[in-house]
Every structure is written in structure tokens, then in C-alpha cells.
Amino acid sequence: MASHFLGESLDLATAPRSTAPNRPRRLVALLTTSLLAVAMAAPFIAAPASAAPHRDASGRADMVLPAAARPVYMGQPQLNGDPTVGGILKAELGGYAPFVIPEGGTPSFTYRWTRDGQAIAGATGSTYRATAADLGRVIAVFVTVSYDAESRLTLQADYPLRIAAKPRARGFNGDDTLDIFARDAAGRLLLYPTDGRGNWRAAQVLGTGWNVFNLLFSPGDFDGDGTVDVIGRDAQGRLFLYQGNGTGGWKKAFQIGQGWQGFKTISAAGDFNGDGSNDLIVVDQWHQAILYPGNGRGGFLQAYGVDTYWINQDPVFAMGHFGGRSNLGVVSRDIHGELWLHESSRNGWFAGTEHIGTGFNGLTSVGSAGDFNGDNKIDAYSIDASGRLTMYYGKGSDYLNSGRPDIRWYGQSVVGWGWGGFTAVF
């Protein structure tokens, strides 16, 4: 009988037929069908590479088949972090740890980040720091887990995020570290910069005549030029935008609103509605929280109410991505000195409220300006009647794995004295 090698033709008409009983043939067919069903139900895996040709001593061609690809499973990855210009985004595993069937091997991971569907050059790590080029664009990440060259699985992390303008936390002088503004009794506006590691640098005077304003705050980058700005309200209820130049100085100032004197509080809100521009939130005389969406050019879109019954909530201030995730936080202090975190998924509405602090009554100032000690977590500050400046160190997303998810702080420390003489700190 002639022998047949893989790749040669075989004449079915003249080929010898099996004389085996029908039952084993039916068993083979059943096993084949079962294996085919299992293969169709397996998760997506990369196709094996082409088999390499091999020749034996006589020169006849044979085939060396690669190891079979194994099905790989992985929980849905999550995209978290700070979706603002300068913020760090993280690809994290979710659900369950990856595994392969049959077991064997150690998983390795690779990452591919995209901007509006196009790969970002050089972005191949588990984290990505958003740049000015990402403003208003949608960032996504694909995670690939591999056990060998043939056994791998790629999933897109939930959920892609639109990058917002620079928040207050990026600082005023362009070094992406926490700065605190303060106005003295003479009306001078001063900047107290830090080195990003919990140390102060020399203060600088930013201007004079700022005592014409009865309210001052920083909305972050409100006009879309990539630098942090300042907003002031005067006694007539006019709102003015002071454009920062990114190096600790100013471009120009102009009026952006009027009739704002009736609001109890006005605060930065970050990119509350997820369109890439920073917004403002106010509390009116009827205790309603109202969102004034920014248009990214120093103006506003249509305002609307986002919550009710904010009685005696003063102050109200933005905490950015306090929880270390993409949710945005706004904090208020009630009449009893309790701090409340109001979070939004950046869809233009609040998703829930959580108690995060007690004993904040009797303090002359409470607020947040970013990360003081350089651990990439948002902190808060307070000033007491004696002028002590205390910093409260946030846990970021670490609170989720701490065993005490109700405790959102690592601790606190006094970081300055003599702050009681200022008429505004923000």
C-alpha cells in the first residue's frame, strides 16, 4: 500500500475504506461534534502561527505543529483615575483574576492606549498621564493578558473617559503642584506655592486691589487655554475672570456674568457634566444647588438645578477626583461641622452623598487645593481661629481596600501658622 504524507492528494474513490463497526464510528463523530462545540464556546484567543515546514533525512517535507492555543479568561478591566489634563489614568483588573485552561504559565500584561480610537504613540504602560492634546478627547485602554505566544486575550477597559480641562489642583504657576491663594487685609493677592512634596516655596505677590471682591475662588482652567484661572465676585454681583498665564502671572481680566449677588455660595465644580469644560456650582437663597456649565471659552451654557435642600451648606468646594476614581467630588460643610462628599459620575447629576468628616465647625476656612504631599491623592485643608493651617491627607482609592471604607483620610498635620490674618484663602 502506498504511503501518504500530509499535503499529498488522496483519491477518495480508490482509498481503502474502514471495515470497523458503525458504533465506534458514531462515537468518533460524537466526540468530534463535542470538541467543535467547546471550541466555538471558548473566549476569543489569537490564532496559532503558521506551522513551520520540516524535512527529514530523505528530504521529504513533513509538518511540525505548534502547541495548541488555550482559552484565556479575564475579568473586565476598569479604567480609573483622574480624567483631567495632567491627571493620571490607570488600567486596573476587575471582576476576577485571569486564568487559562488547561492551567500552566504565568500571565503577562500589555496595554494599548487610544485617543478618539487612534493609538497614542509610546502609551503602552498600565498608567497614562493625560496631556493638553487630550483635552476634550476620549481616552480608552485595551488590556492584553498572555500565557504563551498562542494563548492570549484582549479586552477594552470599562469605560472610556473624556478628558477635562486642568483642575484647580494643577496649580497656578505651571509646575503641576499644589498652590494656595491668600488675600491679606491690604487687598494684596498672594500665592503660596509648594514643591509637590509637602514643602512650601517662597510666597509671591500676584496683585493689589483685590479687596473689591467679596468672593474669590479658582475654577481651574475656565477658558480652555490650558492654564489655571481665578474668578471674583464684587459687591454689585458682577463676576470677573482673571486668566492665568501658566507661570504665576496674568493675561487679562474680563467680566463673565452679573446678578450673582443673590447666591449664598459659588464654587468650582470641575467638569461636572463630562463635556471637557470646567463648571461652577452655586447655592441660591432657596437652598437649591444649581450647575452653571462652562462653555470652555470663559462663558456659560444653560444653568439647571442639580439638587435641593442644601440648607446651611457653607462652604461648598470642589474636591476633584477625591476617591481616586473617575467620579467627581464636591464637598460641603453643614451647620454642625460635618463634611459631606457629593459625588457625580460626570453625567451632570449627583450620584450620592457620603459623610467624610466631623468636627469642622469653628474653623474660619475649609477647602481643597490638590495634593500637598505628592502621593497623587487629593487633600483638604482648614484654618482655625489661631491661624493654624492644617492639612488632611486623603486616601484616594486606597480606602476601598483598607477594611474601613468609611475612613477616607490617612491623617492630618499642621503645615503652617499665621494664616488668621488673611481675608480670603482658596
Side-chain angles (χ1 to χ4, degrees):
M1 178 182 297
S3 61
H4 297 277
F5 295 94
L6 187 64
E8 294 184 349
S9 61
L10 180 63
D11 187 349
L12 297 180
T14 60
R17 298 181 181 273
S18 172
T19 59
N22 288 336
R23 183 175 178 183
R25 294 173 62 186
R26 286 198 301 270
L27 179 60
V28 170
L30 179 61
L31 288 173
T32 302
T33 302
S34 300
L35 289 173
L36 180 59
V38 170
M40 293 178 67
F44 173 79
I45 51 178
S50 299
H54 174 265
R55 296 182 182 276
D56 60 18
S58 65
R60 293 179 299 184
D62 204 343
M63 192 68 72
V64 178
L65 297 177
R70 297 174 292 168
V72 178
Y73 300 84
M74 175 172 59
Q76 184 65 39
Q78 303 294 314
L79 174 55
N80 286 306
D82 181 355
T84 63
V85 172
I88 297 177
L89 299 174
K90 300 174 288 186
E92 300 176 334
L93 297 183
Y96 53 87
F99 63 94
V100 64
I101 298 177
E103 295 182 355
T106 301
S108 62
F109 298 90
T110 56
Y111 305 86
R112 180 170 63 90
W113 295 82
T114 65
R115 177 193 300 124
D116 285 347
Q118 301 300 313
I120 302 173
T124 56
S126 62
T127 64
Y128 173 72
R129 186 181 292 276
T131 69
D134 299 317
L135 176 60
R137 315 284 285 277
V138 175
I139 299 299
V141 61
F142 294 81
V143 181
T144 298
V145 56
S146 303
Y147 283 85
D148 53 51
E150 312 300 336
S151 306
R152 61 182 61 192
L153 172 67
T154 298
L155 294 176
Q156 179 178 325
D158 289 341
Y159 292 94
L161 296 169
R162 189 176 302 278
I163 301 302
K166 272 189 178 182
R168 166 73 180 88
R170 294 291 172 267
F172 184 70
N173 58 4
D175 63 358
D176 287 335
T177 62
L178 176 146
D179 305 321
I180 292 183
F181 296 92
R183 181 184 60 190
D184 65 18
R188 297 186 307 166
L189 186 65
L190 298 98
L191 184 72
Y192 287 83
T194 70
D195 64 358
R197 298 185 298 276
N199 302 301
W200 297 103
R201 290 179 172 170
Q204 65 183 91
V205 178
L206 299 178
T208 59
W210 287 77
N211 46 6
V212 300
F213 297 113
N214 57 25
L215 179 67
L216 289 166
F217 63 94
S218 173
D221 174 17
F222 195 67
D223 56 2
D225 65 354
T227 63
V228 172
D229 307 314
V230 170
I231 289 178
R233 180 187 65 181
D234 67 12
Q236 300 176 52
R238 296 179 300 178
L239 214 59
F240 291 87
L241 177 69
Y242 284 77
Q243 297 176 301
N245 64 8
T247 58
W250 308 103
K251 292 181 180 178
K252 60 181 181 178
F254 53 90
Q255 184 176 340
I256 59 173
Q258 61 185 16
W260 291 68
Q261 67 271 22
F263 296 128
K264 294 176 176 294
T265 66
I266 307 172
S267 171
D271 179 21
F272 193 81
N273 60 0
D275 65 355
S277 301
N278 286 324
D279 309 317
L280 305 185
I281 190 168
V282 307
V283 177
D284 67 14
Q285 57 185 324
W286 294 283
H287 316 296
Q288 181 181 19
I290 302 172
L291 184 76
Y292 279 78
N295 64 9
R297 301 182 302 276
F300 299 97
L301 303 176
Q302 182 63 46
Y304 61 93
V306 292
D307 207 352
T308 58
Y309 209 67
W310 281 40
I311 294 179
N312 299 316
Q313 301 290 323
D314 184 25
V316 173
F317 56 93
M319 280 289 283
H321 300 277
F322 177 63
R325 309 236 166 206
S326 59
N327 283 356
L328 193 64
V330 175
V331 172
S332 65
R333 177 182 63 178
D334 67 19
I335 194 172
H336 305 293
E338 309 296 308
L339 287 190
W340 298 92
L341 174 67
H342 313 267
E343 283 197 302
S344 169
S345 60
R346 298 173 70 220
N347 64 354
W349 304 96
F350 284 114
T353 299
E354 180 182 346
H355 180 256
I356 61 169
T358 189
F360 283 81
N361 48 337
L363 299 170
T364 60
S365 181
V366 182
S368 177
D371 172 23
F372 182 75
N373 59 352
D375 63 355
N376 291 316
K377 299 174 177 63
I378 299 295
D379 307 317
Y381 65 83
S382 72
I383 300 173
D384 64 18
S386 69
R388 291 186 305 178
L389 176 64
T390 300
M391 199 67 62
Y392 304 86
Y393 303 106
K395 283 187 173 182
S397 62
D398 293 349
Y399 80 98
L400 295 170
N401 303 314
S402 66
R404 288 294 306 274
D406 57 319
I407 299 178
R408 304 295 290 267
W409 311 96
Y410 274 123
Q412 64 192 64
S413 64
V414 176
V415 296
W417 294 263
W419 288 73
F422 293 120
T423 58
V425 176
F426 59 100

